[in-house]
Amino acid sequence: MAFEAFFLPAASGQRFAILHGPEAPTRHCGAVVYVPPFAEELNKSRRMAALQARAMAAAGYTVLQIDLLGCGDSSGDFGDATWEAWLADVELACDWLQQQTATPLWLWGQRTGCLLANEAANRMGRPVNLLFWQPVVSGKQFLQQFLRLKLAAGILGGESKGVTERLRKQLQQGESVEVAGYLLSPALAAGLEKAELLLPHRSGRVEWIEISSRPDASLSPAALARLTQWQAAGQHVRSNLVNGPAFWQTSEISECPALLDASLMAMSETVAA
């Protein structure tokens, strides 16, 4: 398996990227851009993302992982990030990867990365396949949950009253706010709040995978509602539920082997279809 770490030139600085490629040049099944989750979920997911990228490359895919503006080893601080800048980074990664290989393009998103991947796919003038890991359906709901991390800290510090409302007011007034060690800009908050997992207009197939540690679990109500809506509109979408830990939020770095296998199987079945 080929492996290369490098920086992609961007409009504002550089984006750190890792390229995983198949060893056999004639065995190219597709090109994949990984769109990571938000804030600390990104760090907790790096192990799983790396494992999946290696597995994809071994199966014949060329995979590009990119740190978005203000994340990881890319230019800027998290407080510099905006939703539009992140969408531009996803498009940059897709354009660069498509210059390296003409194979079918996949956008592989995780959590809020699914919102970015879906919106980027809808803006592109070419077919895109989508692989979703535990997708966030509503950016507004996710932002509310993220701001509540500050509320939890406030409760521990005895200052819980009106924390979330105060943060929202600061953002509306154009001020950045600090939540769980991350400086959230008004522009990023506004873009995230408006983001919705809408029907993909130009994508090929959609592979939607959720993870649960409960043996009797089923897909989330939000997922079932969105999948039903998309299928009724004629979108070719499949769903799957695998057993494993919510590795993006566990206290220790954890793995979900069933998710790795399910993702590869879903993608290979799509190629064969």
Side-chain angles (χ1 to χ4, degrees), residues 51 79 104 118 183 197 270:
L51 291 173
N118 193 62
L183 189 64
L197 205 59
T270 299

Side-chain angles (χ1 to χ4, degrees), residues 148-161 163 166:
R148 283 174 183 161
L149 294 176
K150 188 74 170 183
L151 174 60
I155 291 173
L156 292 175
E159 301 177 356
S160 62
K161 188 176 181 179
V163 170
R166 186 171 71 248

Side-chain angles (χ1 to χ4, degrees), residues 97-165:
L97 188 56
Q98 290 276 266
Q99 291 172 11
Q100 315 306 311
T101 172
T103 53
L105 178 64
W106 284 84
L107 276 173
W108 157 32
Q110 182 189 341
R111 302 283 290 143
T112 53
C114 299
L115 294 171
L116 283 166
N118 193 62
E119 190 167 344
N122 281 341
R123 293 186 180 192
M124 283 189 245
R126 54 187 184 272
V128 183
N129 296 309
L130 297 168
L131 172 65
F132 290 158
W133 275 10
Q134 200 71 27
V136 170
V137 173
S138 168
K140 182 177 182 178
Q141 184 179 41
F142 181 88
L143 177 62
Q144 182 72 12
Q145 293 169 346
F146 183 69
L147 294 178
R148 283 174 183 161
L149 294 176
K150 188 74 170 183
L151 174 60
I155 291 173
L156 292 175
E159 301 177 356
S160 62
K161 188 176 181 179
V163 170
T164 304
E165 291 75 13

Side-chain angles (χ1 to χ4, degrees), residues 1-239:
M1 181 187 69
F3 175 90
E4 180 183 2
F6 60 100
F7 285 96
L8 270 177
S12 56
Q14 302 181 104
R15 304 294 178 264
F16 180 73
I18 299 176
L19 184 68
H20 302 263
E23 290 187 359
T26 57
R27 196 191 172 198
H28 281 179
C29 299
V32 183
V33 172
Y34 173 61
V35 189
F38 192 85
E40 194 59 24
E41 289 190 1
L42 181 155
N43 294 323
K44 293 290 182 67
S45 302
R46 285 193 183 277
R47 172 67 176 166
M48 277 294 295
L51 291 173
Q52 186 69 81
R54 293 169 196 163
M56 287 176 176
Y61 294 89
T62 302
V63 185
L64 183 68
Q65 295 177 265
I66 183 171
D67 282 347
L68 306 176
L69 171 64
C71 301
D73 292 316
S74 287
S75 299
D77 297 320
F78 193 87
D80 301 322
T82 68
W83 195 254
E84 283 297 322
W86 280 359
L87 284 168
D89 286 349
V90 175
E91 186 174 356
L92 170 70
C94 291
D95 289 343
W96 184 89
L97 188 56
Q98 290 276 266
Q99 291 172 11
Q100 315 306 311
T101 172
T103 53
L105 178 64
W106 284 84
L107 276 173
W108 157 32
Q110 182 189 341
R111 302 283 290 143
T112 53
C114 299
L115 294 171
L116 283 166
N118 193 62
E119 190 167 344
N122 281 341
R123 293 186 180 192
M124 283 189 245
R126 54 187 184 272
V128 183
N129 296 309
L130 297 168
L131 172 65
F132 290 158
W133 275 10
Q134 200 71 27
V136 170
V137 173
S138 168
K140 182 177 182 178
Q141 184 179 41
F142 181 88
L143 177 62
Q144 182 72 12
Q145 293 169 346
F146 183 69
L147 294 178
R148 283 174 183 161
L149 294 176
K150 188 74 170 183
L151 174 60
I155 291 173
L156 292 175
E159 301 177 356
S160 62
K161 188 176 181 179
V163 170
T164 304
E165 291 75 13
R166 186 171 71 248
L167 293 177
R168 283 193 171 279
K169 187 174 181 180
Q170 286 179 245
L171 290 168
Q172 291 167 0
Q173 292 174 342
E175 301 175 26
S176 297
V177 299
E178 184 276 325
V179 181
Y182 291 89
L183 189 64
L184 178 66
S185 73
L188 181 54
L192 175 59
E193 188 167 32
K194 293 176 183 176
E196 287 283 336
L197 205 59
L198 302 176
L199 178 69
H201 297 300
R202 295 190 181 93
S203 67
R205 297 178 70 108
V206 178
E207 300 293 341
W208 182 306
I209 306 178
E210 293 195 348
I211 305 98
S212 177
S213 59
R214 291 178 21 233
D216 60 340
S218 58
L219 289 174
S220 65
L224 289 172
R226 199 56 51 99
L227 290 166
T228 300
Q229 179 188 35
W230 289 7
Q231 288 165 348
Q235 174 65 45
H236 203 163
V237 55
R238 296 187 302 186
S239 61

